[in-house]
């Protein structure tokens, strides 16, 4: 009879301190009988015991070999015999009982690790004070308690190390200790120069090897939008990576031409970019792989060409997730496989570092009479060295020991990794130029032209440099009279040398406003010339391109302590330091960032300036910019800035790039983990909502299914209208058929995103994109070719397995969400749209076929656990339901309630409306005043939908969020 659970627990509690195995000395001759108390043991020929024949006939199963005495009857036949033995051996029996008695006494006298002396007393005699005051115990137990206390203290001192004495806050806040702590904390994730400022005000995230600010701790979404629309928004873009290329111009262009194509827009060889007066942007691909295998978007800037020199210098700015892929591709096309070891700086002693004959005065040698009243004598540390400098080795995209320079012996091209060498700030808004005009001041000319190790006095000796500096100053002063930053040509570059902005720091925060003074005619002409033609060619030059100048400016920066000392010596407190110290001249680059360049509404919205500085000067420029009333934002506002410009944001909106694929996988894992943390009753059942992939977008499956549908439709149309085709149509269809046959024989390739400007303009004209209010047509609609079957066939033959970037504007209320489905409306839906635009069709609820299987598994789990307790009663044959589920690839162990398991069914025909694509960004747009979504749709599906739509409703689609069954009408826009 089986023991109940409560009795089993009680028995286990009673037998907790009982011996499970007792060993005692005995001869091998009697050991077998003694183990069982002197009784006869089966399968052994003992004295007076039963024979092997008799025991084997009675008990055929061999019991396990036991090493000692076991209490009670055992299931396997051990323990007590079924019959009492006829006789026992007295010696063996006595030894066995003696071993049991000794084991019992040992168990009684032995105390466990958690027992104490006072626990031996009855409960009515125990007191709480006995644990720390032994005099509360009876006298007979005091000695034992004292010994146990000393023993526990000794054991604790041996095992536990003495905790290190923590430094006081004053010691931790010392400059040297702070730098050591900061360097230790940024071994895995690099800090920007503005990290500490951001860490006090922002939610920090660890991305791409850096520690970056995501969003402020206070609510500022609408204030940030107002700053972008009417004033200025400031962001730190120093985490972007800079790659420098040096070499002959023709060799550089020949190598870079393999990474881009003119069909997708201006490339590195465009004349307006090659001169160095404009900054360009291009999407780079694998060498010779256009239009497939893209890497991602980059911005580039050529150094203005010097007359008579063919040696050029190029900076390429890229996202951290794209840097390694781009760097390896550049090394391949430029043939730069030879890594150049960095120069080893010799260790210089303190005596060699200061060759001046006048030694610094020792504070200890200064008498007390010469000390200023109130001044403290500084303690000298002869043995201790200087505090360690804040030195960052490597960056978030490479190891500290990896090389940063590569050169080619055949082409002479040199590649340098300038990541974290240049600080980059972005100012967004129409008054960005006003903020820069109030923060920066052109550098003053150095009067003393003595020999100096600083770069500016040497620079002032050349008269041509001073003339160029004066021209740049005049152009910079002309910026103050411009009303908006968007009036300037996009990508304009201005080189400038400015004074240390800390010298003109205001006492309180002020809001920078444009200068509205009445300008003279000469200034008006300069501003008109600046707005029409941009910055003159010679004014784009800057000494920031020189590595030696950048290092000189960084090494000779005035410290805050020295600057405060110089301020304290001023006769009038708060006045400006005059003359400016020679160390306070910094070369900078001002690069204009164009705003919205596509579409017909909100032109130039979000335009601004990028400020490029040498490293080490980040906070020296950041605080003065903040004091001019700018609004500071993080990564979240960068995404919203791209969304309001209707521009794809990297890596979110680049699904065909390696970085975009990695981002989609990380985002899916994050959303799935968040979904699993919610209780099952509070989760959205996406299966019932008809949403196959709520956390990702299966672009490859979408493109493949539409290609198969197009092939079937084309074959049917060809069979029906074979006799009515003209000769020209015959030629077109033969080309399409040949392409389809080639695609059918070969495996389906990966999808691509359509970036051909000419094809995008043609497709945009077919969609008849209008503004959100439907006021006017797009510029390309008037010149677009008419939409017909032949035009669609030729377009589809040129762009197979392609997706196109679209902007969707809701025609009624609603807020689109990420991963929302873009579907094609039916004829009945368009009739409903003509009657009432606010209402849309409804998706019928779907049935969850996996819910019963999951609930059945949950119910079967406790029954299986309870059946395992009944040994010998469980059958080895599993139930029929378990047999069917184990053979199914979608086993119940991999199922999640509310989510479709892999592989997914057909994504195009799963719902009542045919799916064309998905949304990657979606929100209520403050710039338009209604919901807007950005995403991709299949080119093949879009062409098929446009052909079947009436002219008055062409471009109308349906959008449905993953958590809703309601479709909403949207207007499709392809902005070029």
């Amino acid at each position: 009879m089986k023991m109940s659970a409560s009795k089993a627990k009680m028995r286990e509690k009673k037998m907790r301190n009982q011996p499970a195995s007792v060993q005692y000395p005995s001869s091998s001759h009697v050991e077998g009988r003694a183990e069982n108390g002197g009784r006869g043991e089966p399968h052994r020929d003992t004295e007076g015991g039963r024979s092997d024949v008799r025991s084997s006939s009675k008990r055929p199963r061999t019991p396990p070999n036991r090493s000692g005495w076991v209490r009670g009857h055992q299931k396997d036949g051990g323990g007590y015999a079924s019959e009492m033995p006829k006789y026992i051996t007295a010696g063996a029996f006595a030894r066995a009982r003696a071993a049991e008695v000794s084991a019992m006494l040992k168990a009684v006298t032995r105390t466990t690790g958690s027992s104490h002396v006072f626990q031996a007393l009855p409960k009515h005699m125990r007191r709480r004070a006995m644990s720390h005051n032994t005099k509360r115990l009876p006298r007979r137990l005091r000695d034992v308690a004292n010994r146990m206390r000393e023993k526990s203290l000794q054991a604790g001192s041996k095992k536990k190390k003495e905790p290190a004495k923590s430094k006081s806050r004053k010691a931790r806040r010392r400059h040297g200790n702070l730098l050591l702590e900061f360097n230790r904390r940024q071994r895995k994730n690099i800090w920007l120069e503005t990290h500490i400022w951001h860490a006090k005000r922002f939610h920090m995230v660890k991305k791409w090897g850096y520690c970056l600010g995501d969003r402020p701790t206070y609510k500022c979404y609408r204030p940030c939008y107002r700053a972008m629309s009417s004033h200025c928004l400031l962001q730190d873009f120093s985490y972007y990576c800079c790659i420098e290329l040096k070499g002959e111009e023709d060799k550089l262009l020949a190598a870079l031409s393999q990474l881009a194509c003119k069909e997708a827009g201006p490339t590195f060889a465009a004349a307006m970019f090659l001169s160095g007066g404009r900054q360009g942007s291009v999407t780079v691909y694998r060498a010779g792989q256009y239009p497939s295998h893209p890497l991602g978007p980059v911005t580039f800037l050529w150094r203005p060409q010097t007359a008579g020199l063919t040696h050029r210098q190029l900076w390429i700015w890229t996202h951290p997730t794209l840097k390694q892929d781009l760097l390896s591709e550049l090394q391949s096309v430029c043939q730069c496989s030879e890594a150049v070891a960095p120069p080893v700086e010799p260790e210089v002693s303190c005596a060699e570092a200061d060759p001046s004959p006048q030694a610094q005065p020792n504070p200890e040698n200064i008498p007390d009479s010469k000390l200023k009243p109130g001044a403290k004598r500084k303690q000298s540390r002869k043995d201790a060295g200087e505090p360690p400098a804040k030195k960052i080795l490597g960056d978030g995209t490479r190891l500290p020991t990896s090389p940063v320079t590569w050169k080619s012996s055949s082409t002479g091209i040199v590649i340098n990794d300038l990541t974290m060498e240049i600080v980059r700030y972005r100012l967004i808004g129409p008054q960005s130029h006003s903020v820069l005009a109030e923060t920066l001041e052109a550098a003053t000319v150095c009067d003393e032209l003595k020999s100096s190790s600083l770069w500016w006095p040497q620079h002032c000796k050349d008269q041509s440099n001073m003339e160029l500096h004066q021209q740049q100053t005049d152009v910079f002063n002309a910026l103050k009279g411009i009303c908006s930053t968007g009036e300037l040509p996009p990508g304009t570059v201005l080189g400038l040398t400015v004074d240390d902005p800390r010298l003109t720091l205001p006492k309180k925060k002020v809001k920078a406003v444009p200068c509205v003074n009445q300008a003279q005619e000469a200034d008006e002409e300069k501003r008109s010339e600046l707005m029409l033609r941009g910055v003159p060619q010679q004014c784009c030059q800057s000494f920031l391109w020189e590595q030696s100048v950048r290092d000189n400016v960084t090494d000779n920066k005035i410290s805050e302590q020295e600057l405060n000392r110089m301020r304290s010596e001023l006769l009038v407190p708060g006045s400006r330091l005059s003359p400016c110290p020679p160390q306070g001249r910094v070369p900078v680059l001002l690069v204009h960032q164009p705003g919205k360049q596509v579409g017909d509404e909100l032109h130039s919205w979000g335009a601004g300036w990028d400020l490029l500085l040498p490293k080490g000067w980040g906070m020296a420029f950041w605080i003065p910019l903040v004091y001019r009333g700018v609004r500071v934002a993080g990564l979240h506002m960068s995404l919203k800035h791209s969304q309001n410009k209707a521009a794809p944001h990297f890596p979110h909106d680049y699904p065909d790039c390696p970085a975009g694929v990695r981002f989609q996988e990380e985002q899916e894992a994050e959303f799935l983990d968040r979904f699993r943390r919610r209780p099952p009753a509070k989760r959205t059942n996406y299966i019932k909502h008809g949403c196959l992939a709520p956390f990702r977008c299966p672009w490859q499956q979408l493109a493949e299914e539409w290609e198969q549908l197009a092939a079937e439709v084309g074959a049917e149309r060809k069979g029906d209208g074979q006799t009515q085709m003209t000769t020209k149509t015959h030629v077109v269809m033969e080309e399409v058929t040949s392409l389809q046959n080639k695609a059918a024989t070969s495996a389906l390739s990966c999808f691509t995103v359509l970036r051909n400007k000419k094809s995008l303009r043609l497709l945009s004209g077919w969609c008849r994109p209008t503004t959100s209010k439907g006021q006017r047509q797009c510029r390309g609609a008037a010149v677009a070719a008419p939409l017909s079957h032949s035009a669609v066939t030729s377009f589809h033959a040129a762009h197979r397995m392609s997706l196109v970037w679209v902007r969707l504007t809701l025609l009624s209320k609603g807020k689109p969400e990420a991963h929302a489905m873009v579907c094609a409306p039916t004829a009945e839906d368009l009739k409903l749209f003509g009657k009432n635009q606010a209402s849309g069709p409804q998706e019928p609820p779907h049935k969850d076929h996996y819910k019963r299987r999951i609930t059945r598994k949950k119910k079967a789990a406790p029954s299986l656990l309870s059946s395992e307790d009944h040994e010998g009663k469980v059958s080895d044959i599993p139930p029929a339901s378990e047999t069917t589920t184990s053979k199914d690839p979608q086993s119940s162990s991999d199922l999640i309630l509310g989510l479709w398991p892999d592989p997914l069914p057909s994504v195009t025909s799963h719902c009542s409306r045919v799916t064309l694509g998905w949304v990657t960004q979606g929100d209520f747009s403050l710039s338009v005043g209604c919901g807007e979504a950005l995403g991709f749709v299949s080119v093949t599906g879009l062409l098929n939908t446009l052909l079947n739509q009436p002219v008055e409703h062409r471009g109308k689609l349906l959008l449905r969020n993953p958590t809703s069954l309601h479709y909403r009408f949207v207007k499709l826009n392809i902005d070029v």
Side-chain angles (χ1 to χ4, degrees), residues 233-238 240 279 299 301 317 423-428 432-433 436 440 485 492-494 544 588-594 606-613 625 641:
L233 185 78
L234 178 62
Q235 291 177 310
D236 190 353
F237 270 70
S238 302
Y240 264 67
Q279 177 187 250
T299 57
L301 180 62
W317 294 85
V423 179
R424 185 162 188 154
Y425 295 152
R426 178 161 294 178
L427 292 87
I428 305 172
S432 302
H433 65 286
L436 290 174
L440 307 180
T485 306
T492 301
V493 180
L494 174 62
L544 189 67
V588 299
L589 262 178
L590 299 177
V591 183
H592 182 265
Q593 286 294 328
W609 288 91
D610 276 10
L611 178 61
L612 276 64
L613 313 166
L625 288 172
H641 178 239

Side-chain angles (χ1 to χ4, degrees), residues 25-225:
S26 62
S27 61
S28 59
H29 182 69
V30 295
E31 185 176 1
R33 291 182 302 170
E35 287 180 355
N36 225 357
R39 304 181 190 92
E41 185 73 7
H43 298 283
R44 292 179 186 173
D45 191 8
T46 57
E47 295 182 11
R50 291 167 292 187
S51 64
D52 291 341
V53 178
R54 182 180 179 184
S55 60
S56 60
S57 61
K58 293 275 183 128
R59 196 167 301 164
R61 188 168 55 180
T62 304
N65 186 17
R66 303 183 184 278
S67 59
W69 175 84
V70 180
R71 185 179 184 274
H73 181 75
Q74 305 299 319
K75 293 181 180 180
D76 54 2
Y80 297 115
S82 58
E83 297 180 1
M84 294 297 293
K86 296 181 179 180
Y87 57 89
I88 60 174
T89 306
F93 184 80
R95 282 194 298 270
R97 302 291 80 74
E100 292 177 8
V101 172
S102 61
M104 180 185 63
L105 293 176
K106 185 178 180 181
V108 171
T109 56
R110 182 179 58 187
T111 58
T112 59
S114 61
S115 61
H116 298 277
V117 177
F118 62 87
Q119 290 181 353
L121 296 172
K123 291 185 178 181
H124 68 279
M125 293 182 61
R126 298 179 187 178
R127 298 293 183 271
R128 185 179 301 171
M130 293 178 180
S131 59
H132 57 83
N133 189 2
T134 57
K135 292 185 178 180
R136 295 279 185 174
L137 288 168
R139 291 182 179 179
R140 61 183 179 86
L141 299 176
R142 290 179 187 175
D143 296 339
V144 180
N146 290 331
R147 287 196 300 268
M148 291 185 63
R149 185 178 180 182
E150 294 176 359
K151 187 177 181 180
S152 62
L153 291 176
Q154 293 177 0
S157 61
K158 291 180 181 179
K159 293 181 181 179
K160 297 181 181 179
K161 296 182 179 179
E162 186 176 356
K165 188 177 180 181
S166 60
K167 296 181 180 180
S168 62
R169 188 180 185 277
K170 183 178 181 181
R172 294 196 307 267
R173 300 297 298 175
R174 287 182 185 140
H175 182 64
N177 295 337
L178 276 179
L179 291 183
L180 287 175
E181 180 67 13
F182 292 162
N183 289 334
R184 183 192 64 82
R185 290 167 59 184
Q186 55 179 322
R187 289 174 185 171
K188 293 184 179 180
N189 297 281
I190 302 300
W191 291 0
L192 304 182
E193 294 187 14
T194 58
H195 171 81
I196 296 179
W197 190 94
H198 278 90
K200 297 177 180 179
R201 301 165 178 86
F202 276 69
H203 295 287
M204 308 301 291
V205 293
K206 296 177 181 179
K207 280 188 174 182
W208 314 312
Y210 297 91
C211 197
L212 306 175
D214 185 36
R215 63 186 72 198
T217 54
Y218 49 90
K219 296 181 180 180
C220 65
Y221 177 73
R222 287 180 178 267
C224 285
Y225 171 77

Side-chain angles (χ1 to χ4, degrees), residues 508-537:
K508 296 181 180 180
K509 285 186 178 182
V510 294
K511 191 169 185 177
V513 293
C515 183
V516 294
N517 296 333
Q518 293 182 358
Q520 301 178 0
E521 294 182 0
D523 296 337
E524 187 66 29
E525 292 179 359
K526 289 182 180 179
R527 284 194 292 271
S528 300
E529 187 74 14
L530 185 62
M531 288 186 292
L532 291 176
R533 300 185 179 181
V535 178
Q537 181 67 30

Side-chain angles (χ1 to χ4, degrees), residues 288-495:
Q289 298 291 329
Y290 176 85
S292 60
H293 300 92
L295 295 179
V298 298
T299 57
F300 60 93
L301 180 62
W302 288 93
R303 183 175 183 177
Q305 188 175 9
T306 306
L309 295 179
T310 59
H311 191 82
R312 298 301 300 272
Q313 191 173 352
L314 173 67
W315 281 351
I316 300 178
W317 294 85
T318 176
H319 196 271
T321 58
L322 175 58
K323 175 191 167 183
Q324 293 299 332
D325 297 334
L326 177 63
L327 191 58
S328 61
E329 205 66 26
L330 288 174
Q331 293 173 1
S332 175
V333 297
C334 297
Q335 302 177 11
C336 294
S337 57
E338 304 175 9
V340 179
V344 180
E345 299 181 359
E347 296 182 0
V348 183
S349 61
C350 297
E352 296 176 356
D354 190 9
S356 60
Q358 297 180 358
Q360 295 291 336
N362 192 354
E364 291 184 352
N365 300 331
I366 301 177
D368 295 341
S369 59
K370 293 186 178 182
L371 288 175
K372 295 181 181 180
K376 296 182 180 180
R377 183 184 294 274
K378 185 177 181 180
Q379 297 180 359
S380 62
R381 302 188 303 166
K382 296 182 180 181
D383 299 335
E386 295 294 330
K390 185 178 181 181
K391 189 175 183 181
I392 299 176
L393 298 176
D395 58 83
T397 59
R398 62 180 173 88
L399 297 175
T401 57
S402 59
V404 295
T405 304
W406 299 266
K407 65 178 298 184
S408 173
S409 56
S410 58
T411 60
I413 299 177
V414 180
I415 300 177
N416 293 321
D417 185 5
L418 299 184
T419 305
M420 300 296 292
E421 292 290 325
I422 299 176
V423 179
R424 185 162 188 154
Y425 295 152
R426 178 161 294 178
L427 292 87
I428 305 172
Q431 301 303 322
S432 302
H433 65 286
S434 302
V435 174
L436 290 174
E438 290 196 13
T439 306
L440 307 180
E441 289 191 5
T444 55
V445 180
C446 194
D447 298 332
E448 300 179 1
L449 300 179
K450 298 179 181 180
S451 60
S452 174
S453 60
L454 303 177
W455 78 281
W456 183 248
Q458 300 294 333
H459 179 75
C460 293
K461 293 180 181 180
D462 193 349
Q463 187 63 25
S464 61
N465 292 336
M466 291 295 96
E467 294 177 358
L468 177 61
H469 176 65
Q470 186 60 38
Q471 294 176 4
Q472 293 174 342
T473 303
D474 295 341
V475 173
F476 181 69
N477 293 332
L479 288 175
K480 300 179 181 179
I482 296 179
C483 296
S484 176
T485 306
E487 298 177 358
L488 296 172
T492 301
V493 180
L494 174 62

Side-chain angles (χ1 to χ4, degrees), residues 220-229 602 605 637 640 643-644 923-932:
C220 65
Y221 177 73
R222 287 180 178 267
C224 285
Y225 171 77
R226 286 195 293 267
M228 287 190 292
S229 302
L602 298 174
W605 184 93
M637 245 14 242
K640 294 301 178 183
Q643 183 177 344
N644 288 324
D923 201 353
F924 183 86
S925 177
L926 296 175
S927 59
V928 181
C930 62
E932 273 199 350

